[in-house]
Amino acid sequence: MGSNIKKIGVFTSGGDSPGMNAAIRSVVRTCAYMKIECMGIYRGYEGMIEGDFKAMDARSVNNIINKGGTILKSARSLAFRTKEGRQQAYDKLKEAGIDALVVIGGDGSFTGALIFNQEFNFPIIGIPGTIDNDIFGTTYTLGYDTALNTVVEVIDKIRDTASSHNRLFFVEVMGRDVGHIALNAGVGAGAEEILIPEENLGLERLLESLKRSKASGKSSSIVVVAEGDKTGKNVFELKEYVETHLPIYDVRVSVLGHMQRGGSPSCFDRVLASRMGVRAVEALLEGKTNLMVGIQDNKITMTPISKAIKGHTKIDLELMRVSEIMTT
């Protein structure tokens, strides 16, 4: 082993995502397996500043692999954005004998970790946990698969009522900057149209598509809309626009909101979290730092955190093409 690390701290930060608990469990159990200590840090960077730590062993993570959310909690920390706040966090870590950190979170969490490392040369490895799947260097982030399954299940239920009443439903899903959830769930649930931030389909095209659907005999339609859709209108304005221009439609809106973040993680997310947790601890013990664990071509990979933050994930153009064919 290329390091003298004796105690690793693990914490979750930013928005929660299903699979975070499975990742915590994996980090704690890998530490136990490697015979080093592990400390759980509660409430992210805020808890780090306050020294809200708790020693964790293999038994303290029993029965959490199937739970959504995060047992270590998450919180926004304004204090950590200041030099004084970060100094305080560093002092608390040193006081507790913590030598290295595993951060489970997204873009903002990684940015904080990188600054912290630059200032104090503190070893850090990141695990990407966010349902948006918007981190460069990994094909999948923790929680994305579960969120997709949740969205598809809900759209299936909405379709039942849409068909019964000959209605058009706009279903808004999360994804302010990227349309991965909207595109995949839209294809998976057989939506008639998908609106995503990466491509401005334009309102005219949406109306044309809905007119075609009606003409071809479809009595109900579902349009999946990502939060950050580029038409420039929010989902309620879209509803009004369509009702004004296509009065034949009875339009309803469903905003799925935070239900997409909750729920028991899928098998895929549990296995991914387990793999990532093991690799994160191993990397620290090998003396590595400032890297994020990811998965590409079903192999566990490492990407510099600076790249993971700056890089933007690209929407799957092949799936866009499939979606266009499927919505005819």
mmCIF file of all heavy atoms in Angstrom, residues 270-310:
data_model
loop_
_atom_site.group_PDB
_atom_site.id
_atom_site.type_symbol
_atom_site.label_atom_id
_atom_site.label_comp_id
_atom_site.label_asym_id
_atom_site.label_seq_id
_atom_site.Cartn_x
_atom_site.Cartn_y
_atom_site.Cartn_z
ATOM 1 N N ARG A 270 -27.447 -0.602 -6.524
ATOM 2 C CA ARG A 270 -26.839 -1.232 -5.337
ATOM 3 C C ARG A 270 -25.490 -1.870 -5.690
ATOM 4 O O ARG A 270 -24.521 -1.735 -4.946
ATOM 5 C CB ARG A 270 -27.765 -2.308 -4.766
ATOM 6 C CG ARG A 270 -29.071 -1.753 -4.245
ATOM 7 C CD ARG A 270 -29.929 -2.871 -3.680
ATOM 8 N NE ARG A 270 -31.315 -2.439 -3.553
ATOM 9 C CZ ARG A 270 -32.225 -3.093 -2.861
ATOM 10 N NH1 ARG A 270 -31.901 -4.214 -2.227
ATOM 11 N NH2 ARG A 270 -33.469 -2.660 -2.797
ATOM 12 N N VAL A 271 -25.461 -2.540 -6.836
ATOM 13 C CA VAL A 271 -24.212 -3.196 -7.266
ATOM 14 C C VAL A 271 -23.172 -2.139 -7.635
ATOM 15 O O VAL A 271 -22.002 -2.235 -7.249
ATOM 16 C CB VAL A 271 -24.471 -4.157 -8.456
ATOM 17 C CG1 VAL A 271 -23.162 -4.714 -9.004
ATOM 18 C CG2 VAL A 271 -25.402 -5.295 -8.030
ATOM 19 N N LEU A 272 -23.608 -1.103 -8.360
ATOM 20 C CA LEU A 272 -22.696 -0.027 -8.760
ATOM 21 C C LEU A 272 -22.095 0.657 -7.531
ATOM 22 O O LEU A 272 -20.881 0.885 -7.453
ATOM 23 C CB LEU A 272 -23.444 0.997 -9.624
ATOM 24 C CG LEU A 272 -22.626 2.168 -10.174
ATOM 25 C CD1 LEU A 272 -21.473 1.670 -11.052
ATOM 26 C CD2 LEU A 272 -23.503 3.134 -10.966
ATOM 27 N N ALA A 273 -22.940 0.951 -6.537
ATOM 28 C CA ALA A 273 -22.480 1.595 -5.294
ATOM 29 C C ALA A 273 -21.460 0.717 -4.580
ATOM 30 O O ALA A 273 -20.450 1.204 -4.060
ATOM 31 C CB ALA A 273 -23.673 1.864 -4.379
ATOM 32 N N SER A 274 -21.712 -0.585 -4.562
ATOM 33 C CA SER A 274 -20.801 -1.516 -3.890
ATOM 34 C C SER A 274 -19.440 -1.526 -4.582
ATOM 35 O O SER A 274 -18.392 -1.475 -3.937
ATOM 36 C CB SER A 274 -21.402 -2.932 -3.881
ATOM 37 O OG SER A 274 -22.670 -2.918 -3.245
ATOM 38 N N ARG A 275 -19.463 -1.548 -5.908
ATOM 39 C CA ARG A 275 -18.210 -1.558 -6.677
ATOM 40 C C ARG A 275 -17.432 -0.252 -6.487
ATOM 41 O O ARG A 275 -16.223 -0.240 -6.316
ATOM 42 C CB ARG A 275 -18.502 -1.773 -8.171
ATOM 43 C CG ARG A 275 -19.034 -3.160 -8.498
ATOM 44 C CD ARG A 275 -19.400 -3.291 -9.966
ATOM 45 N NE ARG A 275 -18.225 -3.348 -10.825
ATOM 46 C CZ ARG A 275 -18.285 -3.389 -12.155
ATOM 47 N NH1 ARG A 275 -19.460 -3.370 -12.768
ATOM 48 N NH2 ARG A 275 -17.191 -3.439 -12.872
ATOM 49 N N MET A 276 -18.173 0.857 -6.535
ATOM 50 C CA MET A 276 -17.519 2.171 -6.420
ATOM 51 C C MET A 276 -16.918 2.390 -5.037
ATOM 52 O O MET A 276 -15.837 2.954 -4.895
ATOM 53 C CB MET A 276 -18.525 3.291 -6.733
ATOM 54 C CG MET A 276 -18.831 3.421 -8.219
ATOM 55 S SD MET A 276 -20.055 4.726 -8.517
ATOM 56 C CE MET A 276 -19.848 4.980 -10.290
ATOM 57 N N GLY A 277 -17.626 1.940 -3.999
ATOM 58 C CA GLY A 277 -17.132 2.098 -2.629
ATOM 59 C C GLY A 277 -15.828 1.365 -2.401
ATOM 60 O O GLY A 277 -14.886 1.908 -1.808
ATOM 61 N N VAL A 278 -15.760 0.138 -2.902
ATOM 62 C CA VAL A 278 -14.530 -0.665 -2.760
ATOM 63 C C VAL A 278 -13.365 0.044 -3.444
ATOM 64 O O VAL A 278 -12.283 0.216 -2.870
ATOM 65 C CB VAL A 278 -14.723 -2.085 -3.368
ATOM 66 C CG1 VAL A 278 -13.392 -2.824 -3.465
ATOM 67 C CG2 VAL A 278 -15.714 -2.890 -2.525
ATOM 68 N N ARG A 279 -13.619 0.512 -4.676
ATOM 69 C CA ARG A 279 -12.540 1.137 -5.450
ATOM 70 C C ARG A 279 -12.081 2.449 -4.816
ATOM 71 O O ARG A 279 -10.887 2.782 -4.836
ATOM 72 C CB ARG A 279 -12.997 1.382 -6.900
ATOM 73 C CG ARG A 279 -11.889 1.869 -7.823
ATOM 74 C CD ARG A 279 -10.823 0.797 -8.039
ATOM 75 N NE ARG A 279 -9.596 1.336 -8.591
ATOM 76 C CZ ARG A 279 -8.448 1.453 -7.921
ATOM 77 N NH1 ARG A 279 -8.360 1.063 -6.651
ATOM 78 N NH2 ARG A 279 -7.364 1.932 -8.499
ATOM 79 N N ALA A 280 -13.021 3.211 -4.220
ATOM 80 C CA ALA A 280 -12.680 4.492 -3.595
ATOM 81 C C ALA A 280 -11.693 4.278 -2.445
ATOM 82 O O ALA A 280 -10.684 4.983 -2.339
ATOM 83 C CB ALA A 280 -13.940 5.186 -3.094
ATOM 84 N N VAL A 281 -11.974 3.295 -1.593
ATOM 85 C CA VAL A 281 -11.095 3.019 -0.450
ATOM 86 C C VAL A 281 -9.741 2.499 -0.943
ATOM 87 O O VAL A 281 -8.677 2.947 -0.488
ATOM 88 C CB VAL A 281 -11.748 2.010 0.529
ATOM 89 C CG1 VAL A 281 -10.765 1.598 1.627
ATOM 90 C CG2 VAL A 281 -13.002 2.620 1.144
ATOM 91 N N GLU A 282 -9.771 1.586 -1.906
ATOM 92 C CA GLU A 282 -8.514 1.045 -2.455
ATOM 93 C C GLU A 282 -7.643 2.165 -3.020
ATOM 94 O O GLU A 282 -6.436 2.190 -2.813
ATOM 95 C CB GLU A 282 -8.818 0.017 -3.562
ATOM 96 C CG GLU A 282 -9.303 -1.316 -3.037
ATOM 97 C CD GLU A 282 -9.691 -2.278 -4.163
ATOM 98 O OE1 GLU A 282 -9.812 -1.835 -5.334
ATOM 99 O OE2 GLU A 282 -9.877 -3.465 -3.872
ATOM 100 N N ALA A 283 -8.273 3.093 -3.751
ATOM 101 C CA ALA A 283 -7.519 4.187 -4.376
ATOM 102 C C ALA A 283 -6.817 5.033 -3.311
ATOM 103 O O ALA A 283 -5.649 5.402 -3.462
ATOM 104 C CB ALA A 283 -8.449 5.051 -5.225
ATOM 105 N N LEU A 284 -7.520 5.343 -2.219
ATOM 106 C CA LEU A 284 -6.900 6.127 -1.135
ATOM 107 C C LEU A 284 -5.714 5.377 -0.531
ATOM 108 O O LEU A 284 -4.663 5.956 -0.263
ATOM 109 C CB LEU A 284 -7.928 6.448 -0.047
ATOM 110 C CG LEU A 284 -8.961 7.533 -0.384
ATOM 111 C CD1 LEU A 284 -10.043 7.599 0.682
ATOM 112 C CD2 LEU A 284 -8.303 8.906 -0.568
ATOM 113 N N LEU A 285 -5.888 4.071 -0.356
ATOM 114 C CA LEU A 285 -4.809 3.267 0.242
ATOM 115 C C LEU A 285 -3.626 3.108 -0.714
ATOM 116 O O LEU A 285 -2.514 2.817 -0.293
ATOM 117 C CB LEU A 285 -5.338 1.894 0.680
ATOM 118 C CG LEU A 285 -6.381 1.939 1.815
ATOM 119 C CD1 LEU A 285 -6.846 0.545 2.182
ATOM 120 C CD2 LEU A 285 -5.852 2.666 3.043
ATOM 121 N N GLU A 286 -3.892 3.325 -2.009
ATOM 122 C CA GLU A 286 -2.798 3.286 -2.997
ATOM 123 C C GLU A 286 -2.106 4.651 -3.079
ATOM 124 O O GLU A 286 -1.195 4.845 -3.896
ATOM 125 C CB GLU A 286 -3.359 2.928 -4.383
ATOM 126 C CG GLU A 286 -3.773 1.467 -4.527
ATOM 127 C CD GLU A 286 -4.727 1.258 -5.715
ATOM 128 O OE1 GLU A 286 -4.912 2.202 -6.522
ATOM 129 O OE2 GLU A 286 -5.298 0.155 -5.816
ATOM 130 N N GLY A 287 -2.562 5.596 -2.273
ATOM 131 C CA GLY A 287 -1.937 6.928 -2.266
ATOM 132 C C GLY A 287 -2.487 7.859 -3.322
ATOM 133 O O GLY A 287 -1.913 8.909 -3.606
ATOM 134 N N LYS A 288 -3.640 7.503 -3.915
ATOM 135 C CA LYS A 288 -4.232 8.365 -4.960
ATOM 136 C C LYS A 288 -5.117 9.431 -4.316
ATOM 137 O O LYS A 288 -5.625 9.251 -3.214
ATOM 138 C CB LYS A 288 -5.062 7.514 -5.922
ATOM 139 C CG LYS A 288 -4.234 6.519 -6.726
ATOM 140 C CD LYS A 288 -5.100 5.816 -7.766
ATOM 141 C CE LYS A 288 -4.268 5.115 -8.822
ATOM 142 N NZ LYS A 288 -3.652 3.875 -8.359
ATOM 143 N N THR A 289 -5.288 10.527 -5.038
ATOM 144 C CA THR A 289 -6.179 11.589 -4.558
ATOM 145 C C THR A 289 -6.745 12.376 -5.736
ATOM 146 O O THR A 289 -6.265 12.244 -6.869
ATOM 147 C CB THR A 289 -5.430 12.551 -3.596
ATOM 148 O OG1 THR A 289 -6.388 13.496 -3.081
ATOM 149 C CG2 THR A 289 -4.325 13.334 -4.304
ATOM 150 N N ASN A 290 -7.796 13.168 -5.460
ATOM 151 C CA ASN A 290 -8.426 14.035 -6.470
ATOM 152 C C ASN A 290 -8.945 13.260 -7.676
ATOM 153 O O ASN A 290 -8.928 13.763 -8.798
ATOM 154 C CB ASN A 290 -7.450 15.105 -6.963
ATOM 155 C CG ASN A 290 -7.266 16.184 -5.927
ATOM 156 O OD1 ASN A 290 -7.861 16.105 -4.861
ATOM 157 N ND2 ASN A 290 -6.445 17.169 -6.211
ATOM 158 N N LEU A 291 -9.396 12.043 -7.430
ATOM 159 C CA LEU A 291 -9.953 11.240 -8.513
ATOM 160 C C LEU A 291 -11.394 10.884 -8.192
ATOM 161 O O LEU A 291 -11.774 10.786 -7.021
ATOM 162 C CB LEU A 291 -9.149 9.948 -8.711
ATOM 163 C CG LEU A 291 -7.696 10.100 -9.160
ATOM 164 C CD1 LEU A 291 -6.990 8.753 -9.116
ATOM 165 C CD2 LEU A 291 -7.625 10.672 -10.575
ATOM 166 N N MET A 292 -12.190 10.701 -9.234
ATOM 167 C CA MET A 292 -13.558 10.236 -9.052
ATOM 168 C C MET A 292 -13.676 8.828 -9.620
ATOM 169 O O MET A 292 -13.183 8.536 -10.711
ATOM 170 C CB MET A 292 -14.533 11.157 -9.780
ATOM 171 C CG MET A 292 -15.987 10.731 -9.624
ATOM 172 S SD MET A 292 -17.053 11.499 -10.863
ATOM 173 C CE MET A 292 -16.728 10.484 -12.308
ATOM 174 N N VAL A 293 -14.338 7.968 -8.874
ATOM 175 C CA VAL A 293 -14.590 6.607 -9.356
ATOM 176 C C VAL A 293 -15.780 6.675 -10.311
ATOM 177 O O VAL A 293 -16.779 7.339 -10.021
ATOM 178 C CB VAL A 293 -14.948 5.675 -8.176
ATOM 179 C CG1 VAL A 293 -15.115 4.246 -8.663
ATOM 180 C CG2 VAL A 293 -13.889 5.742 -7.092
ATOM 181 N N GLY A 294 -15.666 6.009 -11.451
ATOM 182 C CA GLY A 294 -16.780 5.979 -12.401
ATOM 183 C C GLY A 294 -16.926 4.597 -13.001
ATOM 184 O O GLY A 294 -16.179 3.679 -12.653
ATOM 185 N N ILE A 295 -17.890 4.459 -13.902
ATOM 186 C CA ILE A 295 -18.035 3.190 -14.627
ATOM 187 C C ILE A 295 -18.174 3.498 -16.114
ATOM 188 O O ILE A 295 -18.957 4.368 -16.515
ATOM 189 C CB ILE A 295 -19.230 2.357 -14.104
ATOM 190 C CG1 ILE A 295 -19.247 0.986 -14.775
ATOM 191 C CG2 ILE A 295 -20.559 3.094 -14.257
ATOM 192 C CD1 ILE A 295 -20.118 -0.037 -14.114
ATOM 193 N N GLN A 296 -17.344 2.831 -16.914
ATOM 194 C CA GLN A 296 -17.405 2.989 -18.366
ATOM 195 C C GLN A 296 -17.199 1.623 -18.991
ATOM 196 O O GLN A 296 -16.281 0.896 -18.601
ATOM 197 C CB GLN A 296 -16.338 3.987 -18.835
ATOM 198 C CG GLN A 296 -16.713 5.422 -18.434
ATOM 199 C CD GLN A 296 -15.576 6.404 -18.636
ATOM 200 O OE1 GLN A 296 -14.428 6.117 -18.324
ATOM 201 N NE2 GLN A 296 -15.894 7.590 -19.127
ATOM 202 N N ASP A 297 -18.080 1.260 -19.927
ATOM 203 C CA ASP A 297 -18.036 -0.085 -20.536
ATOM 204 C C ASP A 297 -18.024 -1.176 -19.461
ATOM 205 O O ASP A 297 -17.282 -2.160 -19.557
ATOM 206 C CB ASP A 297 -16.805 -0.244 -21.446
ATOM 207 C CG ASP A 297 -16.856 0.713 -22.619
ATOM 208 O OD1 ASP A 297 -17.979 1.017 -23.073
ATOM 209 O OD2 ASP A 297 -15.796 1.192 -23.059
ATOM 210 N N ASN A 298 -18.800 -0.968 -18.431
ATOM 211 C CA ASN A 298 -18.934 -1.899 -17.297
ATOM 212 C C ASN A 298 -17.627 -2.151 -16.544
ATOM 213 O O ASN A 298 -17.493 -3.132 -15.818
ATOM 214 C CB ASN A 298 -19.557 -3.233 -17.738
ATOM 215 C CG ASN A 298 -20.180 -3.946 -16.538
ATOM 216 O OD1 ASN A 298 -20.592 -3.310 -15.564
ATOM 217 N ND2 ASN A 298 -20.206 -5.258 -16.570
ATOM 218 N N LYS A 299 -16.659 -1.259 -16.724
ATOM 219 C CA LYS A 299 -15.407 -1.362 -15.962
ATOM 220 C C LYS A 299 -15.298 -0.151 -15.050
ATOM 221 O O LYS A 299 -15.643 0.958 -15.440
ATOM 222 C CB LYS A 299 -14.211 -1.399 -16.913
ATOM 223 C CG LYS A 299 -14.123 -2.708 -17.693
ATOM 224 C CD LYS A 299 -12.758 -2.885 -18.332
ATOM 225 C CE LYS A 299 -12.564 -4.276 -18.898
ATOM 226 N NZ LYS A 299 -13.703 -4.762 -19.713
ATOM 227 N N ILE A 300 -14.802 -0.372 -13.829
ATOM 228 C CA ILE A 300 -14.626 0.729 -12.892
ATOM 229 C C ILE A 300 -13.407 1.540 -13.327
ATOM 230 O O ILE A 300 -12.338 0.986 -13.588
ATOM 231 C CB ILE A 300 -14.457 0.192 -11.450
ATOM 232 C CG1 ILE A 300 -15.773 -0.456 -10.998
ATOM 233 C CG2 ILE A 300 -14.055 1.300 -10.494
ATOM 234 C CD1 ILE A 300 -16.951 0.494 -10.832
ATOM 235 N N THR A 301 -13.598 2.858 -13.438
ATOM 236 C CA THR A 301 -12.539 3.741 -13.952
ATOM 237 C C THR A 301 -12.266 4.865 -12.949
ATOM 238 O O THR A 301 -13.020 5.048 -11.998
ATOM 239 C CB THR A 301 -12.985 4.388 -15.283
ATOM 240 O OG1 THR A 301 -14.226 5.079 -15.052
ATOM 241 C CG2 THR A 301 -13.192 3.349 -16.373
ATOM 242 N N MET A 302 -11.192 5.602 -13.187
ATOM 243 C CA MET A 302 -10.871 6.767 -12.357
ATOM 244 C C MET A 302 -10.680 7.977 -13.275
ATOM 245 O O MET A 302 -9.974 7.887 -14.276
ATOM 246 C CB MET A 302 -9.569 6.542 -11.571
ATOM 247 C CG MET A 302 -9.528 5.291 -10.718
ATOM 248 S SD MET A 302 -10.694 5.275 -9.362
ATOM 249 C CE MET A 302 -9.870 6.244 -8.144
ATOM 250 N N THR A 303 -11.303 9.093 -12.909
ATOM 251 C CA THR A 303 -11.186 10.333 -13.682
ATOM 252 C C THR A 303 -10.787 11.451 -12.733
ATOM 253 O O THR A 303 -11.314 11.514 -11.622
ATOM 254 C CB THR A 303 -12.565 10.707 -14.302
ATOM 255 O OG1 THR A 303 -13.030 9.610 -15.078
ATOM 256 C CG2 THR A 303 -12.490 11.946 -15.170
ATOM 257 N N PRO A 304 -9.861 12.336 -13.128
ATOM 258 C CA PRO A 304 -9.544 13.482 -12.264
ATOM 259 C C PRO A 304 -10.823 14.259 -11.939
ATOM 260 O O PRO A 304 -11.635 14.520 -12.839
ATOM 261 C CB PRO A 304 -8.596 14.323 -13.118
ATOM 262 C CG PRO A 304 -8.001 13.360 -14.093
ATOM 263 C CD PRO A 304 -9.062 12.334 -14.368
ATOM 264 N N ILE A 305 -10.996 14.610 -10.672
ATOM 265 C CA ILE A 305 -12.213 15.323 -10.261
ATOM 266 C C ILE A 305 -12.371 16.621 -11.049
ATOM 267 O O ILE A 305 -13.472 17.000 -11.431
ATOM 268 C CB ILE A 305 -12.217 15.591 -8.733
ATOM 269 C CG1 ILE A 305 -12.448 14.269 -7.993
ATOM 270 C CG2 ILE A 305 -13.304 16.594 -8.351
ATOM 271 C CD1 ILE A 305 -12.532 14.376 -6.484
ATOM 272 N N SER A 306 -11.243 17.304 -11.335
ATOM 273 C CA SER A 306 -11.319 18.570 -12.081
ATOM 274 C C SER A 306 -11.980 18.367 -13.445
ATOM 275 O O SER A 306 -12.733 19.215 -13.923
ATOM 276 C CB SER A 306 -9.922 19.150 -12.274
ATOM 277 O OG SER A 306 -9.079 18.184 -12.855
ATOM 278 N N LYS A 307 -11.730 17.215 -14.076
ATOM 279 C CA LYS A 307 -12.343 16.904 -15.373
ATOM 280 C C LYS A 307 -13.819 16.573 -15.208
ATOM 281 O O LYS A 307 -14.657 16.964 -16.009
ATOM 282 C CB LYS A 307 -11.638 15.702 -16.003
ATOM 283 C CG LYS A 307 -10.620 16.061 -17.045
ATOM 284 C CD LYS A 307 -10.273 14.826 -17.846
ATOM 285 C CE LYS A 307 -9.163 15.139 -18.832
ATOM 286 N NZ LYS A 307 -8.582 13.917 -19.393
ATOM 287 N N ALA A 308 -14.125 15.813 -14.149
ATOM 288 C CA ALA A 308 -15.507 15.394 -13.889
ATOM 289 C C ALA A 308 -16.400 16.614 -13.691
ATOM 290 O O ALA A 308 -17.549 16.641 -14.110
ATOM 291 C CB ALA A 308 -15.562 14.496 -12.662
ATOM 292 N N ILE A 309 -15.839 17.653 -13.053
ATOM 293 C CA ILE A 309 -16.609 18.879 -12.786
ATOM 294 C C ILE A 309 -16.798 19.686 -14.067
ATOM 295 O O ILE A 309 -17.890 20.112 -14.389
ATOM 296 C CB ILE A 309 -15.886 19.765 -11.742
ATOM 297 C CG1 ILE A 309 -15.878 19.058 -10.385
ATOM 298 C CG2 ILE A 309 -16.564 21.119 -11.616
ATOM 299 C CD1 ILE A 309 -14.924 19.675 -9.392
ATOM 300 N N LYS A 310 -15.700 19.865 -14.814
ATOM 301 C CA LYS A 310 -15.769 20.754 -15.978
ATOM 302 C C LYS A 310 -16.440 20.114 -17.182
ATOM 303 O O LYS A 310 -17.088 20.773 -17.969
ATOM 304 C CB LYS A 310 -14.345 21.188 -16.378
ATOM 305 C CG LYS A 310 -13.715 22.131 -15.365
ATOM 306 C CD LYS A 310 -12.592 22.945 -15.999
ATOM 307 C CE LYS A 310 -11.873 23.798 -14.980
ATOM 308 N NZ LYS A 310 -10.847 23.087 -14.220
#
